[in-house]
């Protein structure tokens, strides 16, 4: 199926994040959909990109998608006063329905 990513029937573009990034990611990664594949995400934030990737690309039960984050934010977040206290809880809740993911807290 060679549809443009924005017309792909499997695409889920409900959030602003997915609308911004999903079409490109789907175009570049759709060949992995439904096949055993591994993905690594460094910097999970709230888990939205991982959720999208697991819903749309890493769909095979043999796939593994690993997320690594300190969940503490960075200097830019501290300087802007962005509260990151709930980031890990939010990401874990968002990704709990997937059995093919690993969520790691990097110390």
């Amino acid at each position: 199926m060679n549809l443009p990513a924005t017309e792909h029937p499997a695409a889920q573009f409900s959030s602003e994040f997915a609308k911004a990034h999903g079409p490109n990611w789907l175009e570049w990664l759709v060949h992995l959909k439904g096949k055993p594949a591994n993905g690594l995400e460094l910097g999970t934030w709230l888990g939205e990109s991982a959720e999208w990737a697991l819903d749309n690309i890493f769909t095979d039960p043999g796939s593994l998608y690993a997320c690594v984050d300190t969940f503490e934010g960075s200097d830019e977040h501290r300087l802007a006063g962005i509260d990151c206290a709930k980031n890990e809880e939010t990401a874990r809740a968002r990704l709990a329905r997937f059995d093919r993911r690993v969520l790691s807290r990097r110390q």
Side-chain angles (χ1 to χ4, degrees):
M1 179 181 291
N2 291 325
L3 294 174
T6 54
E7 295 177 19
H8 198 282
Q12 296 178 18
F13 301 127
S14 56
S15 71
E16 290 305 311
F17 174 89
K19 288 175 188 172
H21 300 290
N24 288 332
W25 290 358
L26 195 57
E27 180 181 344
W28 299 329
L29 301 173
V30 73
H31 66 282
L32 299 174
K33 183 175 178 68
K35 298 176 184 170
N38 296 325
L40 172 64
E41 180 172 300
L42 302 176
T44 303
W45 191 245
L46 298 173
E48 190 171 14
S49 61
E51 180 181 41
W52 187 91
L54 287 160
D55 274 337
N56 292 283
I57 302 298
F58 297 92
T59 58
D60 186 88
S63 292
L64 176 67
Y65 195 82
C67 302
V68 178
D69 202 312
T70 64
F71 296 105
E72 297 172 359
S74 62
D75 290 342
E76 65 194 78
H77 301 115
R78 285 184 282 286
L79 290 171
I82 297 171
D83 183 5
C84 298
K86 299 273 186 188
N87 284 13
E88 182 174 8
E89 179 182 335
T90 300
R92 287 189 184 280
R94 174 175 269 140
L95 301 175
R97 64 187 170 95
F98 299 102
D99 61 354
R100 60 190 183 281
R101 60 93 182 108
V102 174
L103 191 58
S104 174
R105 187 172 209 282
R106 171 84 166 93
Q107 301 281 341

